[in-house]
Amino acid sequence: MQLKKPAAGDIWHALSVQRIEWSTANIDNIKIETSLDSGRTWTVLLSSYPASATYYEWTVPEKTSDSCYIRISDVLDPSTSSSNYKNNPFKIPAPSISIDPLPNAVFAGTVLPISWVSSGIRKLNIYVSFDNKATYTKIADTIP
């Protein structure tokens, strides 16, 4: 049994769907676990999953960590296992957002497209300030 993915140094953003990959021989079902706290605690993702699938699509949780691990083990013989624990952690970075540049001046009534790049964020609110950031007014709510 060999865990192939995640690999050392992988960066998996919160809320993204990532593929946990493995290879096995003579194993019917595996248990998949994750640790997001340097291996102190482990959470079962799946208690039994067909080993022959060779991958599982996992939605990465909203938890920032530099020391994340995956462990797979044979359901019938838990001593047969594979993990990226201890020397090969992957990371879940903090959520981020950056807004694309906007013009410094806009005429009243002008439609202004607002665009951004984000990771680890499901929905956002958009605010505008007309008084040099003293106060803000919400102009869009729960945008995907």
Side-chain angles (χ1 to χ4, degrees), residues 36-53:
L36 305 179
D37 61 4
S38 302
R40 288 188 293 275
T41 61
W42 291 85
T43 301
V44 175
L45 296 178
L46 294 165
S47 58
S48 184
Y49 192 74
S52 61

Side-chain angles (χ1 to χ4, degrees), residues 3 6 10 15-16 19 22 28-29 44 48 54-55 65 68 72 78-79 82 99 105-106 112 117 124 127 137 140 144:
L3 181 67
D10 280 355
L15 306 173
S16 66
R19 193 175 266 208
W22 62 85
D28 291 328
N29 294 296
V44 175
S48 184
T54 69
Y55 72 90
S65 177
C68 303
I72 59 172
S79 67
S82 180
I99 191 165
V106 178
L112 182 64
V117 175
L124 54 89
Y127 296 83
T137 302

Side-chain angles (χ1 to χ4, degrees), residues 96-110:
S96 66
I97 187 166
S98 63
I99 191 165
D100 292 335
L102 296 170
N104 289 332
V106 178
F107 293 104
T110 302

Side-chain angles (χ1 to χ4, degrees), residues 20-133:
I20 299 169
E21 298 178 8
W22 62 85
S23 62
T24 61
N26 303 318
I27 295 173
D28 291 328
N29 294 296
I30 61 168
K31 177 167 75 171
I32 305 174
E33 300 170 278
T34 183
S35 174
L36 305 179
D37 61 4
S38 302
R40 288 188 293 275
T41 61
W42 291 85
T43 301
V44 175
L45 296 178
L46 294 165
S47 58
S48 184
Y49 192 74
S52 61
T54 69
Y55 72 90
Y56 173 71
E57 300 271 334
W58 179 47
T59 301
V60 179
E62 295 177 82
K63 174 148 175 44
T64 301
S65 177
D66 287 338
S67 298
C68 303
Y69 301 98
I70 298 290
R71 176 169 62 197
I72 59 172
S73 57
D74 184 347
V75 169
L76 296 178
D77 179 9
S79 67
T80 302
S81 67
S82 180
S83 179
N84 64 331
Y85 183 71
K86 268 223 184 232
N87 299 321
N88 300 309
F90 67 96
K91 297 177 182 184
I92 303 173
S96 66
I97 187 166
S98 63
I99 191 165
D100 292 335
L102 296 170
N104 289 332
V106 178
F107 293 104
T110 302
V111 175
L112 182 64
I114 301 170
S115 58
W116 59 89
V117 175
S118 66
S119 67
I121 299 171
R122 262 182 229 246
K123 297 187 182 235
L124 54 89
N125 299 327
I126 301 175
Y127 296 83
V128 64
S129 176
F130 297 107
D131 55 8
N132 200 27
K133 303 179 189 174

